[in-house]
Amino acid sequence: KATMKCDAIDFHTIPEKQQAIHARLENWAAWVKPRQSWPVHPMFRQCRSNAWQWHPPEHRPTCDTQDAVRLEKIIGTMPEPFRTALRWWYVFPIPPWRARKYFATTTEGLDRLVKDARAMLANLSQ
């Protein structure tokens, strides 16, 4: 994962008290992320290739799907800026400057939003 540093804030620094929920969110992200490694044109989505025997199967890291489903349900009930911030940070990482624009906040505000979202999720998932 590329380092997302912006204006001297390291978005990959996880506070010690949020390490447990971060590990669960990483598991959730592995379950939620799109399964395809490259985009497929809609016209070819239903196409069945006979070339499957020449390609080794794509192995994905295993994850705790039950916990991932629990987190997905909780994240879906969270207030809008917090759930979107978690999805941005863990599933669909766009550059921080674009996320700041989307959330209409500063770099510090974006960092605070992600940390608050993690804290909220930790409290809701107990």
Side-chain angles (χ1 to χ4, degrees):
K1 196 170 183 179
T3 304
M4 289 191 278
K5 286 189 178 183
C6 186
D7 296 341
I9 289 183
D10 185 2
F11 286 100
H12 288 284
T13 302
I14 311 298
E16 187 65 35
K17 61 185 175 184
Q18 292 185 347
Q19 290 292 330
I21 195 66
H22 172 68
R24 289 181 69 195
L25 281 163
E26 289 284 331
N27 175 67
W28 166 76
W31 179 75
V32 169
K33 283 183 183 173
R35 302 282 192 254
Q36 295 176 343
S37 58
W38 64 86
V40 177
H41 191 278
M43 182 174 128
F44 297 108
R45 284 200 180 138
Q46 301 302 321
C47 179
R48 298 289 179 237
S49 172
N50 292 330
W52 59 269
Q53 65 266 25
W54 290 287
H55 300 288
E58 180 182 334
H59 295 286
R60 295 174 51 88
T62 58
C63 64
D64 181 358
T65 56
Q66 290 179 343
D67 188 52
V69 169
R70 271 187 235 113
L71 282 185
E72 176 64 25
K73 288 180 180 178
I74 295 169
I75 290 169
T77 64
M78 291 173 69
E80 174 50 36
F82 299 105
R83 74 170 168 237
T84 306
L86 288 176
R87 292 184 195 282
W88 162 69
W89 204 94
Y90 289 96
V91 182
F92 303 109
I94 60 172
W97 66 267
R98 286 185 62 198
R100 283 194 328 252
K101 224 174 180 181
Y102 177 82
F103 290 110
T105 186
T106 63
T107 304
E108 293 81 13
L110 184 61
D111 186 48
R112 183 80 261 144
L113 183 63
V114 171
K115 288 177 180 170
D116 288 348
R118 272 194 218 110
M120 182 184 295
L121 182 62
N123 290 334
L124 291 172
S125 65
Q126 289 181 356

